Amino acid sequence: MVGLALSAEQRVDAPPAAVFALFGAGAGAGWVFDAACDRVAVGAVVTLHAPLGGPDAAPVQILGRISAVRAPSRIEIVHDLPWRGRLRLLFDEDCVPAETAARTRVRLIADLDDAGLAWLMRRRGFRVSDDPDRGHHAVGLLISKSGPGSVFAAATENLAAMAVEEINTDGGIRGRPLRLVVGDDATEPEVGAAEAWRLVRAGCRAIMATTTSATFARVAEELSGAGVLLVHSLMNEGGLGGELRVQLGERPESQLRAAVGSMMSAAGGPRWFLAGNDYCWPQVVHTAARRVVAEHDGTVAGERFAALGSRDFTPLIESILASRADVVLSSFVGADLVAFERQCHAMGVRERCRTLALALDEPTRERIGDTASTGMWGVSGYFEQLPGEVNAEFLSRYRRAYGPFAPPVSSISESAYESLHLYVAAVRRAREDDPRAVAREMRGGRYDFPRGTVTVAGPETVEQRLFLAEATSDGLVVSHPG
């Protein structure tokens, strides 16, 4: 339900068709017209960098998809992050009798619901409380609704909400409905720690974290004495499991063992270049890569890191081209992965070598684009194209709930769905809400999910089948199990 409709307008000294053509053209016409959009067509993905965080804050990424086009008078965009909403861009001829030159009145109308208003107020520094509700069983969901990680978080909140609806339909938890309280780490560990404490104050005794490892490590340290169960759902390097810490997801070494041999065969050469963001997960990925590549008689021809949030990778890409690498191992994430791979394509890397990106998933591939992503490969425990009735019904439920323009499902977002079901199953087995008792139950068992059978055998030991997928103009195509 829409809470507010915000509007703004301006007049441009050009006819509507000319102004309409500026959208996505990168002509420096302002943050709305300079949207990243490869084509103005229904279904095309759009990224806008909106000045929403205050005069001194970095722009906020609005991730959406074009839902309607009527050239040259209307473009509609539905978006899921940082909140679910709709933008309408209207182009009307502005008739002024005293003037002979054509002018256009441009109007932007943005829908802002309660969740969006709360997010915006927090971003501007206002305190918005989430009072505990003793009639519900509260569980926190910490995700990256903004910042570079928002690209891989696109469908996460949707899938978590879908899991909650399924759980409540099945009776909830010990007679109480499950209530999801969502926090945004802005892809920054310090913000994640503050948001985690907000979730605790809201009554959450367990938090599902679908965030970077940097945020998870910071939150784990911050909540070390809080008696709260913290679950890391997505791919990570492990090493932080414990009494109240459970790390699910894929591990870098397992992903690499499932992919390195096939990548070298596809590339026709043994030389690798390692490139990624400069934080804990990519560093562990590269360490594992040196070992696994050597086991396959490959060599590492170079290695470079870039800070999270980088946008110009020219020196790094020049190093790749100079290295004569056959395969690039990309450990970039989210918006950084998008920017890096688009620039790799523009600078000719795709013509020289293949790319294996461990964090490549469906929403990230879309943002990279059909053309720029061709020649890339990903490896994970889930892709939308996995066969089987369980996955087909899962995707059908998702589309029925969120519509044709919702972001695609990925291993990262599906992991949030899984983690909530794992948590609830553990509570039901423990027959109590105590986080330590629930954590003990979470650390063991076999489960059937859309990705297949998942076996949990400890605080950070997870077994699952991994799949290698190739990016094509039609999406990610699963070639074979890794």
Side-chain angles (χ1 to χ4, degrees):
M1 181 179 295
V2 175
L4 291 173
L6 307 178
S7 64
E9 67 175 64
Q10 69 178 83
R11 285 168 171 78
V12 181
D13 291 329
V19 180
F20 182 94
L22 290 174
F23 186 83
W31 70 268
V32 174
F33 288 99
D34 286 346
C37 179
D38 288 342
R39 56 192 179 92
V40 181
V42 173
V45 293
V46 178
T47 303
L48 299 106
H49 295 86
L52 297 177
D56 300 323
V60 171
Q61 283 194 138
I62 295 178
L63 303 180
R65 191 182 302 271
I66 294 176
S67 59
V69 177
R70 189 165 66 233
S73 61
R74 188 182 190 97
I75 299 172
E76 290 192 12
I77 300 167
V78 293
H79 60 89
D80 288 84
L81 293 176
W83 64 87
R84 295 186 70 196
R86 179 177 60 157
L87 297 172
R88 285 163 285 171
L89 195 57
L90 309 177
F91 308 84
D92 301 313
E93 186 173 1
D94 191 26
C95 299
V96 182
E99 299 179 2
T100 57
R103 284 206 309 175
T104 301
R105 182 173 71 137
V106 183
R107 288 180 291 158
L108 175 67
I109 303 172
D111 296 339
L112 190 67
D113 61 10
D114 290 342
L117 181 60
W119 180 90
L120 185 58
M121 290 179 67
R122 290 192 182 101
R123 177 54 61 95
R124 297 300 294 269
F126 296 98
R127 182 171 180 175
V128 181
S129 63
D130 293 287
D131 296 327
D133 182 350
R134 298 188 182 278
H136 290 74
H137 184 113
V139 174
L141 176 69
L142 187 61
I143 62 174
S144 300
K145 293 168 72 71
S146 58
S150 60
V151 170
F152 65 68
T156 304
E157 189 172 354
N158 291 347
L159 285 167
M162 193 170 90
V164 169
E165 182 178 353
E166 292 173 3
I167 290 161
N168 287 338
T169 299
D170 192 37
I173 301 180
R174 305 182 68 226
R176 290 184 295 165
L178 187 65
R179 172 177 171 245
L180 194 67
V181 187
V182 182
D184 173 23
D185 80 331
T187 327
E188 295 182 12
E190 290 73 22
V191 176
E195 283 287 273
W197 276 118
R198 180 176 68 82
L199 300 181
V200 172
R201 290 192 299 270
C204 299
R205 301 185 70 189
I207 297 174
M208 311 294 120
T210 307
T211 65
T212 65
S213 295
T215 287
F216 183 82
R218 180 70 179 87
V219 172
E221 178 185 7
E222 185 73 17
L223 299 186
S224 60
V228 174
L229 171 59
L230 186 62
V231 179
H232 203 189
S233 69
L234 78 175
M235 58 186 67
N236 63 82
E237 69 275 26
L240 293 175
E243 184 183 29
L244 284 171
R245 307 290 177 260
V246 177
Q247 290 187 280
L248 306 171
E250 302 90 337
R251 296 290 180 270
E253 187 155 336
S254 297
Q255 291 176 279
L256 290 164
R257 292 192 186 283
V260 165
S262 297
M263 290 302 304
M264 288 172 62
S265 296
R271 296 172 63 84
W272 290 70
F273 194 102
L274 316 181
N277 287 122
D278 192 6
Y279 74 97
C280 49
W281 180 74
Q283 291 162 4
V284 172
V285 169
H286 290 194
T287 298
R290 290 181 179 277
R291 183 166 54 251
V292 177
V293 167
E295 291 172 359
H296 286 78
D297 297 322
T299 59
V300 174
E303 178 181 23
R304 292 283 294 271
F305 289 102
L308 194 63
S310 298
R311 288 299 173 267
D312 183 6
F313 301 93
T314 300
L316 194 160
I317 295 173
E318 289 174 344
S319 296
I320 293 173
L321 294 171
S323 74
R324 296 182 293 111
D326 302 296
V327 186
V328 177
L329 173 63
S330 172
S331 58
F332 289 103
V333 298
D336 290 46
L337 179 56
V338 171
F340 173 70
E341 297 300 344
R342 287 178 70 92
Q343 194 171 355
C344 278
H345 169 70
M347 292 180 66
V349 172
R350 295 284 184 272
E351 301 166 10
R352 300 274 296 273
C353 55
R354 304 294 178 93
T355 296
L356 172 65
L358 298 196
L360 179 66
D361 61 6
E362 287 83 350
T364 305
R365 189 213 68 86
E366 280 194 324
R367 303 281 160 182
I368 296 170
D370 292 344
T371 301
S373 65
T374 300
M376 295 184 64
W377 296 69
V379 58
S380 65
Y382 178 85
F383 292 102
E384 275 197 336
Q385 289 199 357
L386 291 185
E389 293 183 5
V390 174
N391 186 45
E393 175 56 27
F394 167 72
L395 293 174
S396 178
R397 292 198 307 275
Y398 176 70
R399 288 297 165 194
R400 287 198 302 268
Y402 296 103
F405 299 116
V409 179
S410 69
S411 181
I412 291 174
S413 56
E414 193 263 358
S415 74
Y417 172 89
E418 286 185 8
S419 67
L420 282 162
H421 277 290
L422 283 168
Y423 171 75
V424 171
V427 175
R428 290 171 176 171
R429 288 198 305 271
R431 298 183 180 181
E432 59 176 304
D433 296 349
D434 178 69
R436 287 176 174 80
V438 175
R440 285 194 295 271
E441 293 294 338
M442 281 196 78
R443 292 197 289 266
R446 289 169 57 89
Y447 307 88
D448 291 323
F449 288 120
R451 71 177 63 210
T453 300
V454 175
T455 302
V456 183
E460 52 185 73
T461 303
V462 180
E463 296 177 6
Q464 60 181 305
R465 197 177 190 184
L466 298 182
F467 300 87
L468 187 63
E470 181 181 5
T472 71
S473 59
D474 296 323
L476 284 167
V477 177
V478 177
S479 57
H480 58 271

